[in-house]
Amino acid sequence: GRVIRHMKEVIGAECELHGTDYNKSSIEWCNKNLQGINFNLNGIEAKLPYSNNTFDLIYGISIFTHLSEEKHFEWYEELYRILGVNGIMILTTQGDNFKIKLSEDELENYESGALVVRGNVKEGHRTYSAFQPKSFMESLFSNARIESHVVRNQIPGRALPQDVWIVRKT
């Protein structure tokens, strides 16, 4: 809800907004406190209650950060399914800025283009962590057009910034 609550001011009051999340408490809070937005509780399985080509814009902040490699492909396929033709998807991932958090072996895998996953907890949990090299993401988005890949500089004393990927459904 921290981003979607501002969308009507940015995009326009006539837009229809939908939010979906894995966290039941977040969805309950949003339903109670954010009017005029449709919220959906989803599970870890890549299955959303929307028709094909429903949305013009989909954004996901750190969704893929908490998923296995298999779920990366399943969730991307599901988001792509509900995105309209020429629609835009904006996603954030843990890219090169996060290399400093990787062990030597993890860094070697990352540099070879492999997704690095630390999965010592339940998949989807906030501490389940995936690190996405550029070549892995380019492979994930192979059926779309990458409009932009933004790697922001770290600001001292602040959290590491995630990469921003903007892709268009073709």
Side-chain angles (χ1 to χ4, degrees):
R2 69 181 183 265
V3 174
I4 201 168
R5 72 177 72 196
H6 303 290
M7 287 296 188
K8 287 196 182 227
E9 295 168 28
V10 174
I11 298 173
E14 69 284 351
C15 67
E16 184 177 323
L17 300 175
H18 295 262
T20 187
D21 199 289
Y22 173 75
N23 185 306
K24 183 179 180 182
S25 297
S26 293
I27 292 298
E28 287 173 353
W29 186 92
C30 288
N31 275 325
K32 181 179 176 185
N33 294 286
L34 302 177
Q35 304 306 310
I37 303 171
N38 304 295
F39 290 100
N40 171 68
L41 177 65
N42 61 267
I44 193 71
E45 297 306 315
K47 185 170 169 61
L48 295 171
Y50 309 111
S51 299
N52 294 352
N53 304 309
T54 297
F55 298 103
D56 296 321
L57 173 69
I58 294 173
Y59 76 89
I61 299 172
S62 202
I63 297 169
F64 292 90
T65 303
H66 308 290
L67 299 175
S68 65
E69 184 167 349
E70 179 182 3
K71 293 291 183 209
H72 271 69
F73 286 93
E74 290 173 6
W75 270 104
Y76 173 69
E77 184 179 308
E78 178 66 355
L79 295 174
Y80 193 85
R81 178 188 70 78
I82 65 173
L83 184 65
V85 177
N86 288 317
I88 296 287
M89 192 180 314
I90 303 169
L91 302 169
T92 66
T93 61
Q94 294 185 130
D96 285 357
N97 284 327
F98 289 80
K99 291 194 299 187
I100 62 170
K101 294 187 173 251
L102 301 177
S103 71
E104 199 171 297
D105 288 343
E106 289 172 331
L107 183 58
E108 186 176 319
N109 286 333
Y110 181 94
E111 294 291 0
S112 75
L115 178 72
V116 174
V117 175
R118 289 186 185 155
N120 295 329
V121 295
K122 182 180 175 187
E123 186 169 8
H125 189 273
R126 65 178 179 80
T127 60
Y128 186 102
S129 200
F131 304 88
Q132 297 93 349
K134 181 180 179 182
S135 59
F136 175 83
M137 296 306 293
E138 289 172 338
S139 174
L140 183 68
F141 300 142
S142 64
N143 63 341
R145 184 170 68 230
I146 298 171
E147 297 288 349
S148 184
H149 171 218
V150 179
V151 180
R152 297 175 291 157
N153 293 326
Q154 182 182 5
I155 298 171
R158 300 201 56 197
L160 292 172
Q162 292 195 349
D163 287 14
V164 177
W165 290 91
I166 302 173
V167 298
R168 182 181 302 275
K169 183 173 182 176
T170 53

